[in-house]
Structures are given as C-alpha cells and as structure tokens.
Amino acid sequence: MTFIAPVARTLAAAALLAIAGHASAQTTIKDAWARGTVAQQKASGAFMQITSAQGGRLVEASSPVAGVTEIHEMAMQGDMMRMRAVPALELPAGKAVELKPGGYHLMLMDLKQQLKAGDSVPLTLVVEGKDGKRETLQVKAAVRPLGSNAVPKH
C-alpha cells in the first residue's frame, strides 16, 4: 500500500498537469498562409483563422522574416479602401475570426528575404485572454503564390 499511494499521486498529478496544459492552449489557428513576393519586395500579408475558446485579443505578432509585423485592418472610408495598423484584434469566445485579404491581416514589413511559394513563414502570435493572461502561439504559414487578390503594398 505504501508504494501504490505515491504512484497513484504521481499519476494523478501528471494527469492534472496534462489537463492544465491543454486548458491553457485555448486559442487555435487554422489555414495559416502568407502571400509570396517578388525579389526586392519589402512587404506582404499573412492570413489565417483564429479561434479563442474563451475569448480574448490578438495583441502582438512577429516573424523572423520581417523587421516589423503589425496587425492591420482594411476598411472602406467613404469611397476609399484604407489600411491601418490596429493595436489589437478582438477574438469573441468560440467564434473564428478570419484574417484575409481585404480585411484584418498581419502585415509583414521590411522583409529580410523573398517569400517563395512552397516555403513557410514562422510567426509568433500573442493572445491576451479576458483574465489578462497571455498565450504565445508558434505558427507556420505556408507561402502561396502572389495572386490577383493581393493585399495592397505600403
């Protein structure tokens, strides 16, 4: 009995840690991709679907391939489409928020290299939960060819 009790406690503790680790990973990323570039191009966009189980805000993004990574919004102002950086992006609980061309997206600026179709772009996203705790997500965005519905250049 004295041997079984410590083993049972150890197994129970391990199970609780596994559950706690899973519970803290409350944000999921789906279909992450970045737009390919031509040689010497210094900006591109990254897109994906973000779902936060309990809700929160995307507050930061970075990538080693870009000198600057910002959260951007494209929106109509009068009869002009305008793009601007936003400090954070709200993530309603349980609802997928789509970062897409022509809407919210990540702007990769001061690119350090060409983004070639078939490569992947590493991204680090920081999501702040409603409780103020921050979750860091590592994402690999597949590079797709430059297409007709590209995010405008800065």
Side-chain angles (χ1 to χ4, degrees):
M1 275 287 199
T2 55
F3 174 72
I4 293 173
V7 170
R9 279 195 299 270
T10 302
L11 289 173
L16 286 174
L17 283 174
I19 291 168
H22 179 64
S24 69
Q26 61 125 348
T27 305
T28 57
I29 307 295
K30 184 178 169 188
D31 299 328
W33 65 281
R35 186 165 316 282
T37 61
V38 296
Q40 309 305 315
Q41 186 175 335
K42 290 297 182 183
S44 188
F47 315 95
M48 65 202 71
Q49 290 180 8
I50 305 174
T51 305
S52 175
Q54 288 137 19
R57 304 178 323 139
L58 175 63
V59 294
E60 188 179 324
S62 62
S63 176
V65 303
V68 177
T69 304
E70 294 178 344
I71 305 163
H72 274 216
E73 171 189 34
M74 287 187 72
M76 290 298 288
Q77 288 183 340
D79 59 352
M80 294 277 297
M81 181 66 85
R82 303 237 184 235
M83 183 168 22
R84 67 182 178 98
V86 294
L89 176 61
E90 291 298 320
L91 303 172
K95 293 187 179 180
V97 174
E98 189 168 4
L99 279 61
K100 62 183 179 180
Y104 287 106
H105 59 279
L106 299 181
M107 198 70 205
L108 305 170
M109 297 178 288
D110 190 20
L111 290 174
K112 299 174 182 178
Q113 64 194 51
Q114 182 179 357
L115 304 183
K116 297 177 184 175
D119 289 349
S120 66
V121 172
L123 298 165
T124 301
L125 307 179
V126 178
V127 174
E128 184 176 88
K130 294 194 181 284
D131 58 3
K133 291 183 181 176
R134 290 189 170 205
E135 176 183 14
T136 301
L137 300 121
Q138 301 299 322
V139 178
K140 295 253 188 235
V143 178
R144 294 184 184 170
L146 189 58
S148 61
N149 116 19
V151 173
K153 296 177 189 173
H154 275 253

